[in-house]
Amino acid sequence: MGNVVFQGPLERVDTCCWRIPKSYKAGMRVDGLIFADEPMIERIRGDLAPEQVANVACLPGIQGASLAMPDIHWGYGFCIGGVCATDPSEGGVISPGGVGYDINCGVRLVRSTLTEADVRPRLPALVDELFKQIPTGVGRTGKYHFEPHELRELMIDGPRRLAERDLVTERDVEFTEAHGRLDGADPSMVSKRAYERGHAQCGTLGAGNHFLEVQVVDHVVDAEAAAAFGLAEGNVCILIHSGSRGLGYQVCDDALRALRNAPANHGISLPDRQLVCAPATSVEGRHYLGAMRAAANFAWCNRQLLMWQTREVFEEVFGRPWTELGLELVYDVAHNIAKFEEHTINGVRKHVWVHRKGATRAFPPGHVEIPQAYRHMGQPVFVPGDMGRASWVLAGQQGSMEKTFGTTCHGAGRAMSRTAAAKDAQDRHIAGELAARGIIVRAGSRRGLAEEQSAAYKDVDHVVDVVHHAGLSKKVARLRPIGVIKG
Amino acid sequence: MVETFEHTADLGLRVCAASLDELFAEAGRGLFSFVVENAGEIQPRITQFINLKADTLDDLFFDWLSELLYRFDAQQLVLCRFDVQVSGLSLVAKVAGEPVDRARHRFLREVKSITYHGLVIRQSGQHWEAEVIVDI
């Protein structure tokens, strides 16, 4: 299946953008646009992700263009790295496949005042302790217990509710996208099964590509923005990547099932059934939105609790309160989500449902949704690379509002399938290789580590170059891993 | 017969069996082999029954694997025996396994969900075959 090549047209718009014209296939309402440079585009042709960009262009109410970021790869219905905005006043739909299984999967960056020299001597103990204290891996449950009514409150209000247990600060809430709370969350739309799968998983990392990394600010590209974000070259920070765990997966699963017949019921013809959708204003659409927003708020609670446990481990290892170690949240961004936002489309202000599936919001300087302290710089964006190379801090730029509904990339994207990566690592000791380069890794399974090895991912520097040159977001700082925990 | 095939970020399961009943059972075994490295060592100590109905055979197959995943994730149960009877668009199954024991079960990867992407279930000559991709 992975060998199918995209045969359709990819017309060059400029050095960073390629068009699939809406004449390519019947049903396309708008063009498809893929942000990539010349070397990337040949690889992108290598699977059917561009076909998925064209399929999304068929969705009712789609505005502007069906978009894909340079970390595009084949997903379910929507490609990963896909962005689409739909206008409910024009019959615009909401599609669970445009959000993904891991609702509000995202990344948060925590800075510290510790330098690499401070951390190096205690790094093995620190990584061991993080791996011991933070539940990591398949089906693991966490140390936090929430009664059903508490879980409902978390789904309605997000991390601010954790203040009752002293597990969040006002500053943490302020520096989380949407303040960690999407309005309109409706926990009554979250199934019993989703509760059962997720209730014990708040504060757990999960497995797959989720991780917690101790990193060093390796190279500052934009000194002014880095200073605004509190990042200094040589300082240690922590990047946390996780989402809504089993709760979110089940909400997506339930929605795909509940919406099976919605397209036919609403007279919508789809080129791929994984694009199942319903008008955002329909009963089915509103049900999904209520559940999706509840799962998104739960995901922000999950990342908050992961950060809190990280603070506790640092306190233990360094023998000082986390506040003295300067372990402050830089920002938290979602990269699998649908949000109702105001955008200018062909000169007209419209409220649209922006689906970001493996894509990150990147609002430009001056936007009211950016915390006051960063507003002049643009919204911080974090782009994880791989455990052996780098991750990036970017800042949203004006081009994102003009071209991508305020969006940029979310990661490196896979270069190898899981089986190919495991085969490649068969006679190697991945943890040993990383240790020789000064990166300490603790992982739940050797096979999992092999599948997630550095070479399995594309070079994140290349992906970031494209969004930088396209004016979607600018480079602020490059982060280098020194400690990694994975499921 | 169960084999794995590649998909960019995820994994596919290809199953072939002499009957539809066996096809569903093999797919169940295949799913747990994705999750548990030493799935062959799971003991059938607890028995459960599953009844499902669907509108299409694709949906029934999808719902069957989703049901098994739910029992693993929500009930912390790993399964090794699958006695399935498919009739028309419904199934009755007796499954057996045991509670997760992290001292004995080595976990490979987290399956987030079963997907419809490229889902195929068909009769080919004397055999049944199916392909399904799971989200990792």
Side-chain angles (χ1 to χ4, degrees), chain B residues 32-65:
Chain B
F32 277 92
S33 74
F34 274 6
V35 177
V36 187
E37 195 172 2
N38 52 341
E41 293 168 31
I42 300 171
Q43 300 297 312
R45 294 192 292 148
I46 295 172
T47 301
Q48 292 190 345
F49 292 89
I50 297 172
N51 288 286
L52 293 171
K53 272 185 189 165
D55 293 336
T56 67
L57 195 56
D58 284 14
D59 289 345
L60 189 65
F61 190 65
F62 177 96
D63 290 350
W64 159 245
L65 293 176

Short mmCIF file of all heavy atoms in Angstrom, two decimals, chain B residues 32-65:
data_model
loop_
_atom_site.label_atom_id
_atom_site.label_comp_id
_atom_site.label_asym_id
_atom_site.label_seq_id
_atom_site.Cartn_x
_atom_site.Cartn_y
_atom_site.Cartn_z
N PHE B 32 -3.35 -8.54 19.10
CA PHE B 32 -2.60 -8.64 20.36
C PHE B 32 -1.11 -8.87 20.12
O PHE B 32 -0.29 -8.51 20.96
CB PHE B 32 -3.24 -9.68 21.30
CG PHE B 32 -4.39 -9.08 22.06
CD1 PHE B 32 -5.69 -9.15 21.56
CD2 PHE B 32 -4.16 -8.35 23.22
CE1 PHE B 32 -6.74 -8.55 22.23
CE2 PHE B 32 -5.21 -7.74 23.90
CZ PHE B 32 -6.51 -7.83 23.41
N SER B 33 -0.77 -9.44 18.96
CA SER B 33 0.67 -9.60 18.67
C SER B 33 1.32 -8.25 18.36
O SER B 33 2.52 -8.09 18.49
CB SER B 33 0.89 -10.57 17.50
OG SER B 33 0.54 -9.93 16.28
N PHE B 34 0.52 -7.25 17.97
CA PHE B 34 1.04 -5.89 17.78
C PHE B 34 1.36 -5.24 19.12
O PHE B 34 2.27 -4.43 19.24
CB PHE B 34 -0.01 -5.01 17.08
CG PHE B 34 0.00 -5.09 15.58
CD1 PHE B 34 0.81 -5.99 14.91
CD2 PHE B 34 -0.81 -4.25 14.83
CE1 PHE B 34 0.82 -6.05 13.52
CE2 PHE B 34 -0.81 -4.31 13.44
CZ PHE B 34 0.00 -5.22 12.79
N VAL B 35 0.54 -5.59 20.12
CA VAL B 35 0.62 -4.90 21.40
C VAL B 35 1.59 -5.59 22.36
O VAL B 35 2.36 -4.94 23.07
CB VAL B 35 -0.79 -4.81 22.04
CG1 VAL B 35 -0.74 -4.16 23.41
CG2 VAL B 35 -1.74 -4.04 21.12
N VAL B 36 1.52 -6.93 22.39
CA VAL B 36 2.32 -7.69 23.37
C VAL B 36 3.40 -8.47 22.64
O VAL B 36 3.10 -9.29 21.76
CB VAL B 36 1.41 -8.67 24.16
CG1 VAL B 36 2.20 -9.34 25.28
CG2 VAL B 36 0.20 -7.94 24.72
N GLU B 37 4.64 -8.22 23.03
CA GLU B 37 5.78 -8.86 22.35
C GLU B 37 5.73 -10.38 22.53
O GLU B 37 5.97 -11.12 21.59
CB GLU B 37 7.07 -8.28 22.92
CG GLU B 37 8.29 -8.58 22.08
CD GLU B 37 9.52 -7.82 22.57
OE1 GLU B 37 9.44 -7.08 23.57
OE2 GLU B 37 10.57 -7.98 21.93
N ASN B 38 5.42 -10.81 23.75
CA ASN B 38 5.36 -12.25 24.01
C ASN B 38 3.90 -12.70 24.13
O ASN B 38 3.49 -13.32 25.12
CB ASN B 38 6.15 -12.61 25.28
CG ASN B 38 5.75 -11.78 26.50
OD1 ASN B 38 5.15 -10.72 26.38
ND2 ASN B 38 6.08 -12.28 27.69
N ALA B 39 3.12 -12.37 23.09
CA ALA B 39 1.68 -12.69 23.10
C ALA B 39 1.44 -14.20 23.25
O ALA B 39 0.42 -14.62 23.77
CB ALA B 39 1.03 -12.16 21.82
N GLY B 40 2.42 -15.01 22.79
CA GLY B 40 2.29 -16.46 22.89
C GLY B 40 2.25 -16.96 24.33
O GLY B 40 1.87 -18.10 24.59
N GLU B 41 2.64 -16.10 25.26
CA GLU B 41 2.68 -16.53 26.67
C GLU B 41 1.46 -16.08 27.48
O GLU B 41 1.41 -16.28 28.68
CB GLU B 41 3.97 -16.00 27.32
CG GLU B 41 5.22 -16.65 26.73
CD GLU B 41 6.51 -15.94 27.14
OE1 GLU B 41 6.54 -15.39 28.26
OE2 GLU B 41 7.46 -15.94 26.34
N ILE B 42 0.50 -15.45 26.81
CA ILE B 42 -0.73 -15.03 27.52
C ILE B 42 -1.52 -16.27 27.92
O ILE B 42 -1.70 -17.18 27.10
CB ILE B 42 -1.59 -14.10 26.63
CG1 ILE B 42 -0.81 -12.85 26.24
CG2 ILE B 42 -2.90 -13.73 27.34
CD1 ILE B 42 -1.50 -11.98 25.17
N GLN B 43 -1.96 -16.31 29.15
CA GLN B 43 -2.71 -17.48 29.65
C GLN B 43 -4.22 -17.23 29.55
O GLN B 43 -4.69 -16.15 29.93
CB GLN B 43 -2.35 -17.74 31.12
CG GLN B 43 -0.88 -18.04 31.36
CD GLN B 43 -0.43 -19.30 30.65
OE1 GLN B 43 -1.10 -20.34 30.74
NE2 GLN B 43 0.68 -19.21 29.92
N PRO B 44 -4.99 -18.25 29.12
CA PRO B 44 -6.45 -18.07 28.99
C PRO B 44 -7.16 -18.30 30.32
O PRO B 44 -7.86 -19.28 30.49
CB PRO B 44 -6.82 -19.13 27.95
CG PRO B 44 -5.80 -20.20 28.12
CD PRO B 44 -4.54 -19.54 28.60
N ARG B 45 -6.99 -17.39 31.25
CA ARG B 45 -7.51 -17.63 32.60
C ARG B 45 -8.91 -17.03 32.83
O ARG B 45 -9.59 -17.39 33.76
CB ARG B 45 -6.52 -17.07 33.64
CG ARG B 45 -5.20 -17.83 33.62
CD ARG B 45 -4.35 -17.50 34.80
NE ARG B 45 -3.87 -16.12 34.72
CZ ARG B 45 -3.64 -15.35 35.77
NH1 ARG B 45 -3.89 -15.80 36.98
NH2 ARG B 45 -3.18 -14.13 35.61
N ILE B 46 -9.26 -16.04 31.99
CA ILE B 46 -10.58 -15.40 32.14
C ILE B 46 -11.31 -15.51 30.80
O ILE B 46 -10.71 -15.30 29.75
CB ILE B 46 -10.41 -13.90 32.49
CG1 ILE B 46 -9.76 -13.74 33.86
CG2 ILE B 46 -11.75 -13.17 32.43
CD1 ILE B 46 -9.39 -12.31 34.17
N THR B 47 -12.58 -15.85 30.86
CA THR B 47 -13.36 -15.96 29.63
C THR B 47 -14.42 -14.86 29.58
O THR B 47 -15.03 -14.56 30.61
CB THR B 47 -14.06 -17.33 29.57
OG1 THR B 47 -13.03 -18.34 29.60
CG2 THR B 47 -14.87 -17.50 28.29
N GLN B 48 -14.59 -14.27 28.42
CA GLN B 48 -15.64 -13.26 28.24
C GLN B 48 -16.39 -13.54 26.94
O GLN B 48 -15.86 -14.20 26.05
CB GLN B 48 -15.02 -11.85 28.16
CG GLN B 48 -14.41 -11.38 29.48
CD GLN B 48 -14.05 -9.89 29.43
OE1 GLN B 48 -14.00 -9.28 28.38
NE2 GLN B 48 -13.81 -9.33 30.61
N PHE B 49 -17.61 -13.00 26.87
CA PHE B 49 -18.42 -13.19 25.66
C PHE B 49 -18.64 -11.84 24.98
O PHE B 49 -18.81 -10.82 25.66
CB PHE B 49 -19.75 -13.86 26.01
CG PHE B 49 -19.55 -15.28 26.47
CD1 PHE B 49 -19.33 -15.57 27.81
CD2 PHE B 49 -19.53 -16.32 25.55
CE1 PHE B 49 -19.11 -16.87 28.23
CE2 PHE B 49 -19.31 -17.62 25.96
CZ PHE B 49 -19.10 -17.90 27.31
N ILE B 50 -18.64 -11.86 23.68
CA ILE B 50 -18.86 -10.63 22.90
C ILE B 50 -19.95 -10.89 21.85
O ILE B 50 -19.89 -11.91 21.15
CB ILE B 50 -17.55 -10.21 22.18
CG1 ILE B 50 -16.47 -9.87 23.21
CG2 ILE B 50 -17.80 -9.03 21.23
CD1 ILE B 50 -15.08 -9.62 22.61
N ASN B 51 -20.92 -10.00 21.80
CA ASN B 51 -21.97 -10.07 20.77
C ASN B 51 -21.96 -8.76 19.99
O ASN B 51 -22.01 -7.69 20.59
CB ASN B 51 -23.36 -10.22 21.42
CG ASN B 51 -23.53 -11.59 22.00
OD1 ASN B 51 -23.72 -12.56 21.29
ND2 ASN B 51 -23.43 -11.68 23.32
N LEU B 52 -21.90 -8.86 18.68
CA LEU B 52 -21.89 -7.63 17.87
C LEU B 52 -22.79 -7.77 16.66
O LEU B 52 -22.94 -8.87 16.11
CB LEU B 52 -20.46 -7.34 17.38
CG LEU B 52 -19.40 -6.98 18.41
CD1 LEU B 52 -18.02 -6.95 17.74
CD2 LEU B 52 -19.70 -5.63 19.06
N LYS B 53 -23.35 -6.65 16.25
CA LYS B 53 -24.14 -6.58 15.01
C LYS B 53 -23.70 -5.35 14.25
O LYS B 53 -23.35 -4.34 14.87
CB LYS B 53 -25.63 -6.43 15.34
CG LYS B 53 -26.36 -7.73 15.53
CD LYS B 53 -27.83 -7.47 15.73
CE LYS B 53 -28.50 -8.77 16.12
NZ LYS B 53 -29.81 -8.57 16.66
N ALA B 54 -23.73 -5.42 12.94
CA ALA B 54 -23.35 -4.23 12.15
C ALA B 54 -24.14 -4.19 10.86
O ALA B 54 -24.86 -5.13 10.54
CB ALA B 54 -21.84 -4.28 11.87
N ASP B 55 -23.97 -3.08 10.13
CA ASP B 55 -24.70 -2.91 8.86
C ASP B 55 -23.98 -3.55 7.68
O ASP B 55 -24.59 -3.88 6.68
CB ASP B 55 -24.91 -1.42 8.56
CG ASP B 55 -25.84 -0.77 9.58
OD1 ASP B 55 -26.64 -1.51 10.18
OD2 ASP B 55 -25.74 0.46 9.77
N THR B 56 -22.66 -3.63 7.79
CA THR B 56 -21.88 -4.23 6.70
C THR B 56 -20.81 -5.14 7.31
O THR B 56 -20.50 -5.02 8.51
CB THR B 56 -21.15 -3.15 5.86
OG1 THR B 56 -20.15 -2.55 6.69
CG2 THR B 56 -22.09 -2.08 5.34
N LEU B 57 -20.22 -5.98 6.49
CA LEU B 57 -19.16 -6.87 6.98
C LEU B 57 -17.93 -6.06 7.39
O LEU B 57 -17.27 -6.37 8.39
CB LEU B 57 -18.81 -7.90 5.89
CG LEU B 57 -17.99 -9.10 6.35
CD1 LEU B 57 -18.66 -9.86 7.48
CD2 LEU B 57 -17.74 -10.04 5.16
N ASP B 58 -17.62 -5.01 6.62
CA ASP B 58 -16.51 -4.11 6.99
C ASP B 58 -16.72 -3.57 8.40
O ASP B 58 -15.80 -3.57 9.22
CB ASP B 58 -16.46 -2.89 6.04
CG ASP B 58 -15.88 -3.23 4.69
OD1 ASP B 58 -15.77 -4.43 4.38
OD2 ASP B 58 -15.55 -2.29 3.94
N ASP B 59 -17.94 -3.08 8.64
CA ASP B 59 -18.23 -2.49 9.95
C ASP B 59 -18.10 -3.55 11.06
O ASP B 59 -17.61 -3.27 12.15
CB ASP B 59 -19.65 -1.90 9.99
CG ASP B 59 -19.77 -0.64 9.13
OD1 ASP B 59 -18.72 -0.08 8.76
OD2 ASP B 59 -20.90 -0.21 8.84
N LEU B 60 -18.56 -4.77 10.76
CA LEU B 60 -18.49 -5.83 11.77
C LEU B 60 -17.04 -6.15 12.13
O LEU B 60 -16.69 -6.31 13.30
CB LEU B 60 -19.20 -7.09 11.24
CG LEU B 60 -19.41 -8.21 12.27
CD1 LEU B 60 -20.37 -7.78 13.38
CD2 LEU B 60 -19.94 -9.48 11.59
N PHE B 61 -16.20 -6.19 11.12
CA PHE B 61 -14.77 -6.48 11.33
C PHE B 61 -14.11 -5.34 12.12
O PHE B 61 -13.37 -5.58 13.08
CB PHE B 61 -14.10 -6.64 9.96
CG PHE B 61 -12.70 -7.17 10.01
CD1 PHE B 61 -12.44 -8.46 10.47
CD2 PHE B 61 -11.63 -6.40 9.60
CE1 PHE B 61 -11.14 -8.96 10.51
CE2 PHE B 61 -10.33 -6.88 9.64
CZ PHE B 61 -10.09 -8.16 10.09
N PHE B 62 -14.43 -4.11 11.73
CA PHE B 62 -13.92 -2.92 12.41
C PHE B 62 -14.37 -2.92 13.88
O PHE B 62 -13.58 -2.72 14.80
CB PHE B 62 -14.43 -1.67 11.68
CG PHE B 62 -14.05 -0.35 12.28
CD1 PHE B 62 -12.94 0.34 11.82
CD2 PHE B 62 -14.81 0.22 13.30
CE1 PHE B 62 -12.59 1.58 12.36
CE2 PHE B 62 -14.46 1.45 13.85
CZ PHE B 62 -13.35 2.13 13.38
N ASP B 63 -15.67 -3.19 14.08
CA ASP B 63 -16.23 -3.17 15.44
C ASP B 63 -15.63 -4.28 16.31
O ASP B 63 -15.40 -4.09 17.50
CB ASP B 63 -17.76 -3.32 15.40
CG ASP B 63 -18.45 -2.08 14.84
OD1 ASP B 63 -17.77 -1.05 14.66
OD2 ASP B 63 -19.67 -2.14 14.56
N TRP B 64 -15.36 -5.42 15.71
CA TRP B 64 -14.78 -6.56 16.43
C TRP B 64 -13.38 -6.18 16.98
O TRP B 64 -13.10 -6.32 18.17
CB TRP B 64 -14.69 -7.75 15.48
CG TRP B 64 -13.73 -8.85 15.81
CD1 TRP B 64 -12.63 -9.21 15.10
CD2 TRP B 64 -13.79 -9.76 16.94
NE1 TRP B 64 -12.01 -10.27 15.68
CE2 TRP B 64 -12.69 -10.63 16.81
CE3 TRP B 64 -14.66 -9.90 18.02
CZ2 TRP B 64 -12.43 -11.64 17.74
CZ3 TRP B 64 -14.40 -10.91 18.95
CH2 TRP B 64 -13.30 -11.76 18.80
N LEU B 65 -12.55 -5.65 16.12
CA LEU B 65 -11.20 -5.29 16.57
C LEU B 65 -11.25 -4.12 17.56
O LEU B 65 -10.48 -4.08 18.53
CB LEU B 65 -10.30 -4.96 15.37
CG LEU B 65 -9.99 -6.16 14.46
CD1 LEU B 65 -9.18 -5.73 13.26
CD2 LEU B 65 -9.25 -7.26 15.23
#
